[in-house]
Amino acid sequence: MITHPVYPRLLRRETHSPRSVAAIVVAIVAILVGLYVATELVLALVEAPALLISPSDALLSLGGIDRVIPGALIAGGVLAALIGLALLILALLPGRRARHRLPSERLAVVVDNEVIASSLARTATTAGGISPDNATVTVSHRRALVEVQPPSGLPVDEAEITRAVEERLDSLEARPGIRSKVAVARHGKVGA
Amino acid sequence: MNNTNRFLNRAWLGLVGLLLLAGGAAAIALGSLPEAAERWTSTAPDVISSVSGWLRDSPVGDAGFSWLTIAVIAAIALIVVLLLVFIIRQGNGHTRELLRESSGDNGETIVEAAVAEQALREALHAHREFISSSVSTYRVRGASVLKISTVCQRGVSPTAAVRIVERHLIALDALLGREVPALLQISGGFRARTTGATRLL
């Protein structure tokens, strides 16, 4: 399947998040904080009035921070710790995107899970002889759930739908592999 | 596809995350543990007095301020510039050159990326399976790589989409005389989902 040495790299990068948005947001916040601190330092140097608090006053009040109401200190601490934890999680988790790889002799292929879902929905409704709007398909990393809403009063062939969906998934050869489950709703819908 | 340094992104997020976590934990400890507050009260004045001592002992001539302050401002400026570079470097890696080949002593042949991009875009435009498609070229590890992004109609088989693009790409290979590495990204998108409902009355 892999015909060029850069394909594994391309596929890995296309199926995982680069974390660019989070990194840029954090960088912008850090730049703003840095610019503010530098402004206060310069204002103190030229002995101009501070914007909010002069650096020496800030240092002094930091020394007395334990005299702040404990509740406020704890609340601030919890908030900072939670944001820190969220950033650590972003840094460490793989950040998989909702995509699958497909085989090809010539190129590297990634397909969004929603495209696979849409294709399975068409397969299921065609096999069941019902309207394309009456199947809901959810595709996640390793499974596909096909929910079919039969028209009221007409039975649908669940075995036939299952066979068609499995056949479509087999021919797709998505990596990582997807297993399917077909669920036909017990109550039909009028006009479906 | 682009050359964003993903390890750097994650390292930066991890570093800021650790600092915030440590600061937050310290604040929680100060607010909830009397011993921590006591230790803070006993050490903070000493730290402040030694910092003011350094500031006094490092004057710039008779200007009345410390060069330490200048150094801190310079350090902040440097960090801000580095962060700006970090932001600007995200998502780069486009190239306008597809192939470059020297033909003996008589110079070089350069094929621009636009040749392949326009040919493929034109070819894919004719297929009803795709609502839209775009082609761009990136430089990956010294090789030009085509990135073909397509938005499929609702219900189109991804396999069929791959076969269509493969066919046009192989035609392009014949035209160029080279196999240019390529990546196809198939997505659904908003318009694909709101294609009108079928209703028989």
Side-chain angles (χ1 to χ4, degrees):
Chain A
M1 173 185 164
I2 285 156
T3 52
H4 195 279
V6 302
Y7 284 178
R9 177 184 165 88
L10 294 182
L11 290 168
R12 180 165 34 78
R13 285 174 76 92
E14 287 299 317
T15 48
H16 292 85
S17 162
R19 300 290 195 227
S20 291
V21 175
I24 290 172
V25 169
V26 173
I28 288 173
V29 172
I31 287 172
L32 292 179
V33 171
L35 288 180
Y36 167 70
V37 173
T39 311
E40 290 289 22
L41 284 170
V42 171
L43 286 178
L45 276 189
V46 300
E47 287 169 5
L51 291 178
L52 293 176
I53 183 170
S54 76
S56 51
D57 288 349
L59 198 62
L60 279 178
S61 47
L62 196 62
I65 201 162
D66 54 312
R67 286 191 291 279
V68 174
I69 321 149
L73 204 54
I74 293 176
V78 167
L79 187 67
L82 283 181
I83 297 174
L85 198 63
L87 294 183
L88 267 184
I89 289 173
L90 280 179
L92 296 176
L93 288 190
R96 233 165 29 207
R97 283 172 166 169
R99 286 177 180 170
H100 280 80
R101 306 187 296 273
L102 293 188
S104 161
E105 294 287 318
R106 172 63 184 85
L107 30 52
V109 184
V110 289
V111 56
D112 285 7
N113 286 357
E114 67 178 285
V115 177
I116 299 178
S118 166
S119 154
L120 289 181
R122 171 156 298 182
T123 307
T125 52
T126 309
I130 53 177
S131 151
D133 295 323
N134 292 314
T136 313
V137 185
T138 325
V139 174
S140 58
H141 196 52
R142 289 208 168 269
R143 50 186 79 242
L145 176 63
V146 181
E147 289 166 305
V148 177
Q149 175 95 60
S152 173
L154 291 170
V156 296
D157 190 345
E158 186 169 347
E160 174 63 19
I161 294 177
T162 308
R163 195 195 56 75
V165 166
E166 272 171 10
E167 204 177 275
R168 168 50 53 87
L169 276 178
D170 282 348
S171 71
L172 198 62
E173 291 178 76
R175 292 288 169 273
I178 305 171
R179 285 199 316 206
S180 63
K181 186 177 184 304
V182 174
V184 175
R186 297 202 28 216
H187 298 287
K189 190 169 110 187
V190 176
Chain B
M1 282 303 283
N2 56 42
N3 60 13
T4 301
N5 188 336
R6 297 186 167 197
F7 176 76
L8 200 60
N9 280 0
R10 282 168 182 270
W12 163 244
L13 288 176
L15 175 73
V16 176
L18 273 181
L19 288 178
L20 279 176
L21 198 58
I28 294 170
L30 272 179
S32 56
L33 303 172
E35 308 93 84
E38 229 163 75
R39 278 189 56 192
W40 184 269
T41 327
S42 60
T43 44
D46 296 344
V47 174
I48 290 174
S49 66
S50 52
V51 169
S52 356
W54 296 337
L55 290 175
R56 252 197 325 279
D57 297 343
S58 54
V60 185
D62 311 327
F65 51 79
S66 161
W67 59 260
L68 277 179
T69 316
I70 310 284
V72 170
I73 294 172
I76 292 175
L78 182 70
I79 292 171
V80 166
V81 170
L82 286 179
L83 286 175
L84 282 176
V85 172
F86 170 73
I87 291 175
I88 292 164
R89 278 196 35 96
Q90 304 275 343
N92 284 356
H94 275 278
T95 180
R96 299 172 60 151
E97 191 180 299
L98 191 64
L99 295 170
R100 174 187 285 265
E101 198 150 306
S102 69
S103 44
D105 306 327
N106 302 323
E108 278 185 320
T109 309
I110 298 172
V111 179
E112 288 215 351
V115 175
E117 289 173 9
Q118 281 167 17
L120 282 173
R121 210 174 294 147
E122 203 62 31
L124 295 179
H125 189 68
H127 288 273
R128 285 201 54 225
E129 285 86 345
F130 303 123
I131 292 174
S132 67
S133 49
S134 71
V135 186
S136 47
T137 313
Y138 290 84
R139 199 95 189 140
V140 181
R141 299 225 165 129
S144 290
V145 180
L146 287 168
K147 180 180 184 176
I148 305 151
S149 308
T150 60
V151 179
C152 275
Q153 291 280 9
R154 174 177 146 161
V156 166
S157 149
T159 319
V162 173
R163 294 296 161 263
I164 292 171
V165 176
E166 261 177 357
R167 211 172 66 226
H168 289 298
L169 204 58
I170 288 167
L172 183 74
D173 291 344
L175 188 72
L176 294 171
R178 292 281 175 285
E179 282 198 10
V180 180
L183 175 102
L184 168 64
Q185 188 203 323
I186 307 170
S187 37
F190 178 70
R191 275 201 287 167
R193 261 175 293 157
T194 51
T195 327
T198 43
R199 241 193 125 76
L200 296 172
L201 291 173

